[in-house]
Amino acid sequence: MSRFSGFPAHVEKYVGPVRGADSREADGRDRGYHLVYCDHRDGSYVSVLTSGLREHLAGAPLPQEVLCTVHADQERYGRHLTAVIAELLTESRSRVGYGALIMNDRALLPDTEIAGALAAPHPYLADDFDVLLDADGAPVLQLITLLPITRGESQLVARYGRDALYDRWEQRHVDLTDIHRPSAA
């Protein structure tokens, strides 16, 4: 039995049922991970997550998978953001830690201000979601949430730290699952 065998049940417990997945094959090559789609129980949100990114073992204490949670009608944006960042990580054989900024020099998602993501614990799920434990209770996998951010928000983080951005989001009651939200910077 794989030490990751509890991964599907863990995801479904916190995020919702798995609706489907894209193949590891893309453009005639094995990209090294699947993109998995989970519908939240109330139907308002979808989470797009990787499965297989954990096989790339560079630079982190625990293997990782990444995900992005967005409004259900914004699934294509969540898919694009997750896929672009997963591709970057597999090509560079690297990992991300909480607080890492993964940015593009211009808007990454069409018709939005979103230019990248901030790697973080999931802002709306229980803390237990962020780490998968094995049958003995030992951590075996870290789930990194990609919070979509704007160029201005990334500059705020670079200048004042991520706590300044979190404070701004909290003051303005920002919905971090809405790709079309305005910048909080």
Side-chain angles (χ1 to χ4, degrees), residues 71-166:
H71 290 205
D73 64 345
Q74 299 172 1
E75 178 179 311
R76 69 185 176 107
Y77 295 108
R79 180 196 185 285
H80 184 73
L81 186 64
T82 304
V84 165
I85 292 173
E87 187 71 19
L88 174 70
L89 295 174
T90 56
E91 284 181 3
S92 65
R93 299 193 56 76
S94 60
R95 294 284 194 228
V96 294
Y98 292 152
L101 288 170
I102 306 113
M103 297 302 299
N104 198 24
D105 58 353
R106 61 190 186 300
L108 185 61
L109 303 176
D111 305 317
T112 76
E113 294 184 49
I114 303 303
L118 175 66
H122 201 290
Y124 302 120
L125 298 177
D127 292 343
D128 296 348
F129 169 73
D130 300 312
V131 176
L132 173 68
L133 305 176
D134 67 12
D136 297 324
V140 294
L141 181 69
Q142 184 177 26
L143 296 164
I144 303 287
T145 299
L146 304 172
L147 300 176
I149 65 169
T150 67
R151 168 83 32 219
E153 290 168 339
S154 74
Q155 292 168 346
L156 183 70
V157 171
R159 177 173 275 158
Y160 300 108
R162 68 180 180 224
D163 287 344
L165 178 58
Y166 280 111

Side-chain angles (χ1 to χ4, degrees), residues 35-98:
L35 287 175
V36 178
Y37 302 89
C38 296
D39 294 320
H40 292 235
R41 283 170 183 63
D42 70 359
S44 299
Y45 305 98
V46 62
S47 287
V48 181
L49 61 137
T50 60
S51 181
L53 198 62
R54 62 186 172 264
E55 297 166 10
H56 308 279
L57 300 175
L62 286 175
Q64 298 175 337
E65 298 290 352
V66 297
L67 73 140
C68 182
T69 300
V70 295
H71 290 205
D73 64 345
Q74 299 172 1
E75 178 179 311
R76 69 185 176 107
Y77 295 108
R79 180 196 185 285
H80 184 73
L81 186 64
T82 304
V84 165
I85 292 173
E87 187 71 19
L88 174 70
L89 295 174
T90 56
E91 284 181 3
S92 65
R93 299 193 56 76
S94 60
R95 294 284 194 228
V96 294
Y98 292 152

